Amino acid sequence: MASIRRTLSPMYHDRAHENGGAHKGFTIGGSSSKHNSSQFLSYLTKLLGVTSDPKSSRRGPWRRPFYQFLVFFLLGFVLGLTPFGKMEDVNGSDRFSFEIKQPYVEERLENNNNKKREEVAVDAVSFVAETETGNKEISFVPRKLIIVVTPTYNRAMQAYYLNRIAQTLRLVDSPVLWIVVEGNAASFETSEILRKTGVMYRHLVCKRNMTSIKDRGVHQRNTALEHIELHKLDGIVYFADDDNIYSLELFQSLRQISRFGTWPVAMLAPSKNKAILEGPVCNGSQVIGWHTNEKSKRLRRFHVDMSGFAFNSTILWDPKRWRRPFTHPTRQLDTVKEGFQETTFIEQVVADESEMEGVPPACSKILNWHLHLDARDVPYPQGWAIQKNLQALITMK
């Protein structure tokens, strides 16, 4: 069988190979492209330090890892500069825009043909819903806190009075805080009543020495005012004695007061044979006069009952907001005659009738009644339990 022997170029005769001998081989149909690729591979092998020559390995043991690191570093650097995604053109005016856009929560309907979309913008004050038919705004305004201050003491009708006012406060829209103040010590019976009412309350104790009924109510209300000022309670303060009768509309109207609100109060005359009216005369919400009796119309500056006014609690702990000229705390005075606690206290809150608000407009409704129907000379039952006089006097047949 014929064969073709092709000798190599003289430049390869003296080249050493891996088998240690001179090159002897046969080449059939070699091409220049294959020869160039083999030369590139041999060069890359030398570059990476892949060689079996022990002399070369001893000569530079650090070259192989160095060149490998260099090749892969350059390869990663080139790949990192290569854009694989789609680059969008950004308008030059938008690059330097510092506008903070409000996030929107979009709810898209499953039907693509329906173009109605509701976008709800949520912030701390309002909720806005936009539809295709028009813009519909739902405003959320938090209700003002109503702070009801009730002084009380142990007596036969105390449980009845506290439960009656508690049933009214349970019907008032929250938030409502009921501050009940007792004298000297908190009784177990009062605490049990308050726990069962279902109304948010705070049970306070007045430690002042009280020599009369007039001083007792004054110091108990001042204890509540000190508590409001200390904790900076923000709301509308209302003095509600436990023996009065209150309508639900009264507490709902208190949240309309900005600074100081007042209204007429119906009460029994000292003779108990007729009803009299005491409070403001209003033209809309403006106070223009007073209902009063003949004995006190020339003596008092403001003819208002203790349960016939309410005021903003920030007047107690933020006087600069209302530009009050007084630097001393706003408190009721025990040094004045009975019946003058109301007017001396109101003079510390407002300057004149222009700073008052009539509640409700035109002061056309009686919202509470002061009847003075407390039972006198009746013993206070300990624990609300009567142990004597329980035997039957008449036998039922």
Side-chain angles (χ1 to χ4, degrees), residues 209-220:
N209 293 327
M210 294 168 284
T211 58
S212 64
I213 298 177
K214 174 182 70 67
D215 295 338
R216 178 178 56 201
V218 170
H219 293 313
Q220 287 176 336

Side-chain angles (χ1 to χ4, degrees), residues 194-211:
L194 296 178
R195 277 194 289 266
K196 296 177 181 179
T197 57
V199 180
M200 182 174 61
Y201 72 93
R202 295 186 182 181
H203 192 185
L204 306 181
V205 176
C206 179
K207 299 295 184 179
R208 294 286 300 273
N209 293 327
M210 294 168 284
T211 58

Side-chain angles (χ1 to χ4, degrees), residues 124 131 144 194 267:
T131 58
K144 291 182 180 180
L194 296 178
M267 60 184 65

Side-chain angles (χ1 to χ4, degrees), residues 34 177 220 269 343:
K34 186 178 295 185
L177 176 60
Q220 287 176 336
T343 182

